[in-house]
Amino acid sequence: MSDYFFYACAIVAVILSGLAKGGFSGAGALAVPIMALGIDPVRAAAIMLPILILQDAVSIWSFRHSWDGHILKVMLPGMALGVGLGYLLAAHVSETAVLGALGFISVLFGMQRLWVERGGKVVLPSTSPNWMGTLLGVVSGFTSQIAHAGAPPFQMWVLPKRLPRDVLVGTTAIAFAMMNWIKVPAYAALGQFTRANLMATAMLAPVAIGATYAGVLLVRKVDPARFYRLIYVLMVLLGIKLMVDAAMA
């Protein structure tokens, strides 16, 4: 029964992750916590990493003609540094504190953007400097390495730029694909790619691919004018979830 319960949780988690990789960023943060209902969180994260890499490939292929090179150039060095810091400092930081602070900031940012954009008001692109993008890249890499929660810091610099929908999804896919590959050596060094974990990943792979393609199809049916509002709502909900998790830990 424990195996059945784990795979039931894992399938739900992989579907949510696929929807996130398809463009509904924010939903994927629920993946590891849901999978952790049926298995310990460390193994859940290790099983999810190859799945995320597989879903990244599907997402990149689907949006291969739509991405912003400047954002990647600014943020990727910081994201790589953040992953390294997360690996080195994991034993010295409180995951609960990190997630609680990240959740609080995410709620404030998401609500502020929803307030600014109320009534369909046109918002000017972000003019924040590049160093801010690199700094938020560091935070994104750090929180991703600690708890697979790197989306909110990334979104804080990118979303206000009001990129076209497909460009936003394609740029996000490339950035997180590269960051997930950067995380592979750290997980390997910790001995997380066991035969049992990789077999669980292989069994979930068809669901992962199908869910990602479903996310791509769904996001392309969403009115671009409403897409950003939906992402901000998901960001607020994710922030609330992170704060609740931190409070209950």
Side-chain angles (χ1 to χ4, degrees):
M1 284 300 295
S2 61
D3 286 344
Y4 291 133
F5 183 67
F6 161 69
Y7 279 106
C9 295
I11 288 171
V12 173
V14 169
I15 290 173
L16 288 173
S17 177
L19 293 176
K21 292 297 183 181
F24 296 103
S25 184
L30 297 171
V32 172
I34 289 176
M35 188 180 290
L37 294 174
I39 199 171
D40 73 81
V42 175
R43 283 196 67 194
I47 291 170
M48 278 302 301
L49 182 56
I51 288 173
L52 294 175
I53 290 173
L54 178 61
Q55 291 176 324
D56 287 331
V58 175
S59 186
I60 289 174
W61 174 258
S62 300
F63 295 95
R64 61 191 179 279
H65 300 303
S66 306
W67 50 282
D68 188 300
H70 175 70
I71 289 175
L72 297 175
K73 180 180 178 180
V74 170
M75 298 202 77
L76 279 174
M79 294 169 85
L81 176 60
V83 169
L85 289 174
Y87 172 68
L88 294 173
L89 301 177
H92 306 287
V93 299
S94 167
E95 179 179 335
T96 300
V98 170
L99 293 183
L102 179 61
F104 180 71
I105 294 170
S106 298
V107 170
L108 288 183
F109 177 82
M111 293 184 68
Q112 186 267 343
R113 298 305 303 179
L114 287 170
W115 175 259
V116 168
E117 297 190 16
R118 68 193 187 281
K121 184 177 179 181
V122 176
V123 182
L124 294 177
S126 169
T127 56
S128 57
N130 288 346
W131 66 263
M132 180 64 71
T134 302
L135 178 61
L136 286 171
V138 174
V139 179
S140 178
F142 182 81
T143 55
S144 182
Q145 175 65 26
I146 294 294
H148 284 324
F154 179 87
Q155 292 171 330
M156 288 176 192
W157 196 65
V158 176
L159 290 184
K161 296 183 178 299
R162 301 293 294 181
L163 298 173
R165 180 195 60 203
D166 288 4
V167 174
L168 172 64
V169 178
T171 303
T172 302
I174 294 173
F176 280 85
M178 297 185 73
M179 184 163 66
N180 284 330
W181 275 107
I182 292 170
K183 289 155 64 174
V184 167
Y187 275 75
L190 294 171
Q192 292 301 315
F193 295 133
T194 64
R195 182 174 181 275
N197 287 351
L198 292 176
M199 285 190 66
T201 296
M203 292 182 69
L204 293 166
V207 179
I209 295 172
T212 307
Y213 274 119
V216 170
L217 293 175
L218 287 173
V219 81
R220 285 175 170 165
K221 293 182 180 296
V222 175
D223 181 358
R226 297 180 180 177
F227 177 71
Y228 274 85
R229 193 174 305 149
L230 175 60
I231 295 300
Y232 290 131
V233 169
L234 288 173
M235 195 171 185
V236 171
L237 294 176
L238 170 58
I240 293 172
K241 178 201 172 297
L242 293 176
M243 290 193 295
V244 171
D245 287 349
M248 295 179 64

